[in-house]
Amino acid sequence: MRIYQEADYDAMSRRTAAIIAAEVIRKPDCVLGLATGSTPVGAYRQLAAWERGGLLSFGDVTTVNLDEYRGLGPDHEQSYRYFMRTNLFDQVDIRLERTHVPDGLAADPEAECRRYDALVESLGGTDLQLLGMGHNGHIGFNEPGPAFVRETHVVDLAKSTIEANARFFAHRDEVPRQAITMGIGTIMSAKRVLVAVSGADKAEAVRKAFCGPITPEMPASILQLHRDVVLVGDVAALSGLREAGVLQ
Ligand code: F6R
């Protein structure tokens, strides 16, 4: 695993964007696995600035997002499709028909999960999968549990996830209780995984994920088994790794 320790959120965002940009420049028709949440916002802003400046083009890029809330449509301001449009897709020259997010309104969610897995497979998997990490170690919305789930599936969100995400909604009660998420098998099939973390509140999860036992109770710990992981974090988020002696 390669670790980039950056001074703060902005530097972490630039590094994350640089790694994504390098992939797009190396392989203009690459398949990017993308994440939502607070962490990647700065990286998406940086990528949009570089695209406007002519440094790279998303014209031939395909994207697949990790997850979507169940019950929220693409025009709902808190849906992940809406997030992606606002933070990246509408800001760059990507072709919207090449962007994919699970359909949170699918009448048959199980069929939607199968469709999503078939889609990712038909694309040949992701070249680079961007991940954030929940305080409880979730990746995508693979919450801690008794077993890793391989495929895209419907998940009941953990109480702590609902609470963490309530900041984006007017009321806690409005936070959806379920999501559709890519499974651990699909995430692990990415050729390269890029994990971005920021803030002291993530330090404990980062330490457990990369220094603790590999267990579905800490879903991100499975990344220890991936052969090409890049971890980008600010000093605060990586403090647990320094305490564990993994970093200086
Ligand atoms: C988002 C996702 C989640 C987030 C995680 C961290 O698509 O899959 O796993 O990456 O909840 O969220 P932030 O970045 O808001 O701390």
Side-chain angles (χ1 to χ4, degrees), residues 44 192 203 209 217 242-243:
Y44 292 156
R192 179 175 240 202
E217 294 299 340
R242 289 197 303 281
E243 279 157 27

Side-chain angles (χ1 to χ4, degrees), residues 68 72-77 79 81-82 85 103 105:
E68 179 60 283
L72 301 193
D75 294 325
H76 190 290
E77 285 186 15
S79 75
R81 165 56 83 177
Y82 189 95
R85 279 213 323 262
D103 178 4
L105 293 181

